[in-house]
Amino acid sequence: MSIRVKLYMSYLAMVFVPVILMIAFMLFFFYAGGIEDVREAFDKERKEPYLQALVYGELSYVLENDAGKLEDKEYLSDIQQRLGDLWAGYLFSKDGKITSVAPFLEQVAPGQNWQRLLEEPPATVAFSSYRFETYNIDFKYPDGSDGRGVLFRRNDTVPIYWRPVGTAFSLAFIGLTSLLLTYFVSRSIIKPIKKLEAAALQIKDGDLSRKVEATTRGEIGQLSIAFEEMRVRLKHSIDQSLQYEENRKMLLSHISHDLKTPISAIKGYVEGIMDGIANTDEKRTRYMETIYRKATDMDQLIDELFLFSKLDLQTVAFDLKVMDFSRYMEHFMDEQRFDLDKSGVTLHYTAHEVGSIFIAADPDKLSRVLTNILNNCVKYMGQQSSQETKTIIVRVKELDQFALVEIEDTGPGIEKEDLPYIFDRFYRAEQSRNSETGGSGLGLAIVKQIIEGHGGMVWAENAEHGGARFCMKLPKSGAVKTVDEHEEHTDY
């Protein structure tokens, strides 16, 4: 519920709730007083002055024309009873002495000095918290005696103190109801705001672990949802920054180690030449070849680091061309087969029942991907004995919207706990951390960056017979234009 609706409803409630509660209180009061029909009670009070006037008129006629009937006790008792039912009563006197006091008056004002009220009747008098009006009439008895009658008639249907007390009670009731409604409405608004304030203070102190839950709807609920999204994104950003910092430290550690090893070797061989240890042409040639090989390894390491940095910063432009992927893979594998044969690795390429598959790709970047994966397979299989068969099988398959490439080797496979991380930057499986097989840890991370830059995906798994299997999915292109050798650098 929105704040505006809450305020509107609270305003309406402040008007109608006290009225409804007051009506309910009055109904309870009437019911407790034995009044079952409220309409009948109000109708009786409304008719009371009229009925009093009828009895008063009848008695006035008797006093003027036949005052002797007042000496008839039965008539006098009847007239006083009828007036008593209407909250009225007469006080009669003869020659200044009281002859009759209405039983109703004695009931509502016991111990009252009726003689004083007879001699000096006030305009109004209070009996039992009710205000009564007085009317006096002088008449003559049949024997010539002076008579006087004083009528006491209830003026208000409610006690005297009820009006100020009722007014004060109503005001207090309305005020209390308004306070309660204001408290609950403000509490429903302030409480979630306090939660947001507490969460904001925690974020200010660097604690992003507390989840902000939307406990209400409307503006505050939307604010809570937006605040929670901000917290999640901020936490993700901070975690990512911390991860980048950790990666930077790992980079420095790995690169320092991987650079120090060949540099130390180069220094050692150079010192050997300078000190005359390489005293024959054969030794000097061997030393120079080793120095060249170590320098090449350093150059390749720096090149990988530079490429990965540009890919990570998304500053590498992909020169995408629509090409026949099947023909591209066939030509590339023919080029790699010769180099792999020299390393004792047999390469098999299969693309059965696969026609032309057109994809939009950067040939140079795709070549780097396939080279890195093949080199990774060769490194792992290099840990096997020379008698074991070393084979790499490459398969190309066509899916609905993708071209699938599977590169499978006969190496030792990948440890199950390493599988989720081998494409992470700077990660190297434990068994490849030696100087012979351990790379920079960037080769497969570069593969992932390039494949995802093409809109595809890459993953690794262990083959059924042991060994590792690398899988790549690249989206197919709807174009039919292929890339020939003479138009390799044309951007379609």
Side-chain angles (χ1 to χ4, degrees):
M1 186 183 299
S2 66
I3 297 177
R4 180 182 299 177
V5 174
K6 284 183 178 181
L7 293 176
Y8 285 158
M9 292 187 64
S10 66
Y11 296 151
L12 292 175
M14 289 179 187
V15 175
F16 291 106
V17 170
V19 175
I20 295 173
L21 292 178
M22 288 294 294
I23 292 174
F25 176 77
M26 291 177 63
L27 291 176
F28 173 77
F29 178 79
F30 285 129
Y31 178 78
I35 301 174
E36 298 181 357
D37 192 341
V38 177
R39 292 176 299 175
E40 181 180 347
F42 280 106
D43 186 62
K44 182 178 179 181
E45 292 180 357
R46 182 176 56 84
K47 292 181 178 179
E48 186 177 274
Y50 171 73
L51 297 176
Q52 290 175 349
L54 288 179
V55 179
Y56 178 70
E58 176 186 345
L59 188 57
S60 297
Y61 177 80
V62 171
L63 294 177
E64 291 178 2
N65 298 286
D66 189 10
K69 292 185 68 173
L70 294 179
E71 296 178 347
D72 184 354
K73 292 183 179 181
E74 184 177 348
Y75 172 77
L76 186 60
S77 175
D78 176 67
I79 200 71
Q80 294 282 31
Q81 180 64 37
R82 289 163 59 190
L83 287 172
D85 293 339
L86 300 173
W87 283 75
Y90 254 107
L91 185 64
F92 292 108
S93 67
K94 186 175 183 181
D95 290 334
K97 294 182 180 181
I98 294 177
T99 59
S100 177
V101 179
F104 168 74
L105 295 177
E106 291 182 339
Q107 181 181 355
V108 297
Q112 187 64 249
N113 187 354
W114 301 110
Q115 186 64 40
R116 182 178 62 82
L117 294 177
L118 175 67
E119 294 173 355
E120 298 177 359
T124 58
V125 66
F127 295 149
S128 297
S129 302
Y130 286 94
R131 182 179 288 107
F132 286 78
E133 293 180 344
T134 60
Y135 299 92
N136 60 300
I137 182 173
D138 295 326
F139 59 91
K140 290 286 186 180
Y141 281 96
D143 60 2
S145 301
D146 294 329
R148 169 174 283 192
V150 180
L151 174 67
F152 295 89
R153 183 183 71 84
R154 185 176 67 171
N155 188 28
D156 293 327
T157 57
V158 295
I160 298 172
Y161 61 86
W162 272 34
R163 293 187 184 275
V165 171
T167 302
F169 177 78
S170 300
L171 293 176
F173 192 81
I174 293 173
L176 179 61
T177 306
S178 301
L179 286 175
L180 290 175
L181 290 173
T182 303
Y183 168 74
F184 286 114
V185 172
S186 61
R187 182 173 179 268
S188 66
I189 297 174
I190 294 174
K191 187 175 180 181
I193 292 178
K194 286 292 185 182
K195 289 185 178 180
L196 287 177
E197 181 186 9
L201 291 175
Q202 283 191 325
I203 291 176
K204 184 190 73 172
D205 295 336
D207 183 5
L208 297 172
S209 61
R210 181 176 178 180
K211 183 178 179 181
V212 181
E213 297 182 358
T215 56
T216 60
R217 297 180 180 179
E219 294 91 341
I220 298 180
Q222 295 173 0
L223 178 61
S224 299
I225 293 174
F227 201 89
E228 172 62 14
E229 291 178 355
M230 180 195 70
R231 182 195 68 85
V232 171
R233 292 186 181 182
L234 184 60
K235 187 175 186 300
H236 176 72
S237 177
I238 293 176
D239 292 343
Q240 194 174 42
S241 298
L242 293 175
Q243 184 63 43
Y244 283 155
E245 179 64 20
E246 183 66 23
N247 290 342
R248 186 186 66 82
K249 294 179 181 178
M250 290 177 61
L251 170 65
L252 294 176
S253 174
H254 288 304
I255 297 303
S256 299
H257 176 270
D258 293 335
L259 288 177
K260 186 176 180 62
T261 301
I263 287 177
S264 298
I266 291 173
K267 286 176 62 179
Y269 284 106
V270 170
E271 289 175 357
I273 295 175
M274 294 173 63
D275 294 341
I277 298 176
N279 50 13
T280 65
D281 292 339
E282 181 182 356
K283 282 187 178 182
R284 282 192 291 270
T285 300
R286 190 171 70 250
Y287 277 31
M288 295 300 293
E289 289 176 351
T290 303
I291 292 172
Y292 177 78
R293 188 174 66 254
K294 296 296 182 181
T296 302
D297 291 342
M298 289 176 58
D299 182 65
Q300 182 180 1
L301 175 62
I302 294 172
D303 182 50
E304 282 192 346
L305 177 62
F306 182 64
L307 174 61
F308 178 80
S309 298
K310 293 199 298 182
L311 288 170
D312 197 36
L313 294 173
Q314 299 181 351
T315 58
V316 176
F318 286 82
D319 186 16
L320 299 179
K321 298 179 177 65
V322 178
M323 62 183 184
D324 187 344
F325 186 58
S326 300
R327 190 174 66 174
Y328 171 83
M329 287 293 295
E330 185 176 352
H331 291 169
F332 181 82
M333 293 304 158
D334 286 341
E335 294 175 358
Q336 295 294 316
R337 188 174 284 110
F338 177 75
D339 293 333
L340 293 175
D341 285 341
K342 291 193 299 182
S343 301
V345 178
T346 304
L347 176 64
H348 295 288
Y349 171 72
T350 59
H352 298 300
E353 300 180 0
V354 175
S356 297
I357 305 176
F358 296 100
I359 66 170
D362 185 328
D364 293 335
K365 303 295 188 302
L366 196 58
S367 174
R368 185 61 175 265
V369 166
L370 296 170
T371 301
N372 284 5
I373 293 179
L374 291 175
N375 289 341
N376 188 82
C377 294
V378 173
K379 287 179 182 179
Y380 273 85
M381 289 189 297
Q383 300 176 21
Q384 297 173 297
S385 63
S386 58
Q387 290 78 16
E388 293 184 68
T389 302
K390 301 175 183 179
T391 305
I392 296 177
I393 302 173
V394 180
R395 305 183 186 92
V396 175
K397 300 178 181 179
E398 183 177 7
L399 303 180
D400 291 337
Q401 301 295 330
F402 296 90
L404 175 65
V405 181
E406 295 180 350
I407 302 176
E408 183 177 325
D409 63 37
T410 56
I414 305 172
E415 295 294 336
K416 186 175 180 181
E417 58 270 16
D418 293 329
L419 275 175
Y421 310 107
I422 63 171
F423 290 100
D424 291 350
R425 64 195 76 182
F426 315 121
Y427 185 83
R428 291 182 292 187
E430 188 66 31
Q431 60 180 342
S432 67
R433 289 191 182 273
N434 58 74
S435 59
E436 295 296 329
T437 61
S440 64
L442 295 175
L444 294 182
I446 291 174
V447 169
K448 181 179 179 181
Q449 292 276 23
I450 294 176
I451 293 298
E452 290 181 351
H454 282 77
M457 59 185 299
V458 61
W459 70 94
E461 56 191 28
N462 284 315
E464 294 80 2
H465 55 75
R469 180 188 296 138
F470 295 89
C471 304
M472 296 183 298
K473 285 172 64 175
L474 292 168
K476 294 195 296 186
S477 172
V480 295
K481 178 66 179 177
T482 60
V483 176
D484 295 328
E485 293 181 0
H486 68 278
E487 52 182 3
E488 178 181 356
H489 299 291
T490 303
D491 188 354
Y492 289 94

